[in-house]
Amino acid sequence: MAEYEGKVNAPEFPEGMEMAQHRSALSIRQLKGKVVLLDFWTFCCINCMHIIPDLKKLEHKYPNELVSSAYTRPSSLPSAGTENIRQAILRYEIEHR
């Protein structure tokens, strides 16, 4: 990957923000010098599921340069919620780092 330089004024992630696929909260400081891929998805969207193999290839090809993070918004369905999202992450073997 090419190396880019420059000043980035990215805001810190909100305190207490849940990141279901990460063991601990990420900080902007941890991401310095990395390429950050934000994956916005819903656990019931077939198109979101089709992209998972491509994301896995990128994550394994660039394990030190790329940080992937998935973000989802529970739908209005009563079955949606944090635990269902965690189960979908496990079911689809989403390994974002």
Side-chain angles (χ1 to χ4, degrees):
M1 292 185 140
E3 189 171 318
Y4 297 96
E5 291 185 24
K7 187 175 180 178
V8 176
N9 292 320
E12 193 55 70
F13 293 105
E15 193 172 319
M17 180 177 175
E18 284 194 44
M19 296 184 185
Q21 80 284 1
H22 295 285
R23 289 182 181 90
S24 61
L26 290 177
S27 70
I28 294 300
R29 182 178 303 256
Q30 291 172 295
L31 301 175
K32 185 176 181 176
K34 306 280 185 182
V35 173
V36 179
L37 186 148
L38 302 177
D39 177 24
F40 293 92
W41 65 286
T42 59
F43 67 89
C44 56
C45 169
I46 191 66
N47 292 324
C48 297
M49 300 307 114
H50 285 164
I51 196 73
I52 292 171
D54 295 325
L55 295 176
K56 285 184 180 192
K57 285 179 190 174
L58 287 171
E59 291 166 346
H60 290 283
K61 186 173 182 177
Y62 302 105
N64 298 316
E65 299 89 355
L66 178 68
V67 175
S68 307
S69 192
Y71 295 90
T72 188
R73 185 176 140 221
S75 65
S76 59
L77 299 172
S79 62
T82 303
E83 186 53 34
N84 288 333
I85 293 166
R86 290 183 201 281
Q87 291 303 315
I89 288 169
L90 293 172
R91 181 172 54 252
Y92 297 114
E93 299 176 350
I94 297 173
E95 300 173 335
H96 297 326
R97 303 174 194 342

